[in-house]
Amino acid sequence: MSKVLVSFFSATGTTRKVAEEICKVENGDLYEIVPEIPYTKQDLDYTVKDSRSNLEMADESSRPAFVKKCDSIADYDTVFVGFPVWWGREPSIIDTFLEAYDFSGKTIIPFCTSGGSDVKKAAQHIKGIVGENVTVEEGKRLGPDATEEEIRTWKNLLGD
Ligand SMILES: Cc1cc2nc3c(=O)[nH]c(=O)nc-3n(C[C@H](O)[C@H](O)[C@H](O)COP(=O)(O)O)c2cc1C
């Protein structure tokens, strides 16, 4: 049976909840992308021009460090990658994670939570980062209370 990793970054807990639900449905392993320097409330304030998150997202080359603790990414065929949408796409720490491992031959399935933005721009961006040897699915935005049934329906639409 193919092995599934459900990786996620969550600054305020919303994406974590969804990741846990996906993990249950997929019978996968959960992997939290933990920032080396945790985000404070001030860091996340997008109304402040030079808040940490705004500065990171304005700089395409920004790669905030995470605590690297997964040595066994090679074991997985399918890797869900979950995140809150920040400024229309995945937070830069997701890019750090994607560049830290070799995903060649694997399938990445992006999912997000957000105030309304969909996952499309992030999925495109992720595709550009991981390169051509990786299949990146369309992905999906899920609500904070995404149910098991909703996740199963989405997965059935993906054909697996
Ligand atoms: C810095 C920052 C930027 C955000 N940008 C967007 C955005 O562009 N579009 C959107 O719909 N929501 C945006 N949001 C809202 C988050 O995506 C949303 O609250 C998300 O569910 C939080 O997930 P978390 O609790 O897992 O961190 C932003 C939030 C923050 C902190």
Side-chain angles (χ1 to χ4, degrees), residues 17-78:
K17 213 169 141 223
V18 176
E20 286 171 352
E21 202 60 31
I22 292 177
C23 204
K24 210 163 75 185
V25 172
E26 289 294 306
N27 203 9
D29 295 329
L30 198 62
Y31 176 73
E32 180 173 8
I33 299 163
V34 178
E36 257 180 25
I37 303 168
Y39 288 87
T40 64
K41 206 167 169 214
Q42 287 81 357
D43 289 342
L44 298 171
D45 190 347
Y46 51 79
T47 65
V48 175
K49 200 164 168 263
D50 61 353
S51 69
R52 176 182 169 195
S53 56
N54 281 356
L55 292 175
E56 285 176 3
M57 296 310 289
D59 175 6
E60 177 71 26
S61 66
S62 165
R63 294 291 182 271
F66 71 103
V67 184
K68 197 173 172 187
K69 59 178 177 183
C70 184
D71 296 323
S72 55
I73 216 105
D75 297 350
Y76 297 94
D77 309 292
T78 302

Side-chain angles (χ1 to χ4, degrees), residues 95-143:
D95 304 339
T96 317
F97 170 73
L98 293 171
E99 286 176 355
Y101 297 105
D102 181 8
F103 293 93
S104 300
K106 303 184 191 304
T107 298
I108 288 182
I109 307 179
F111 67 96
C112 71
T113 67
S114 75
S117 298
D118 65 32
V119 78
K120 279 189 193 139
K121 197 173 160 196
Q124 280 306 322
H125 201 256
I126 287 171
K127 235 178 226 175
I129 287 184
V130 294
E132 283 176 6
N133 295 331
V134 185
T135 305
V136 180
E137 301 275 3
E138 223 172 77
K140 189 171 169 62
R141 172 184 182 270
L142 290 153

Side-chain angles (χ1 to χ4, degrees), residues 10-15 44 46 53 84-88 113-117:
S10 178
T12 52
T14 319
T15 312
L44 298 171
Y46 51 79
S53 56
V85 173
W86 282 5
W87 291 105
T113 67
S114 75
S117 298

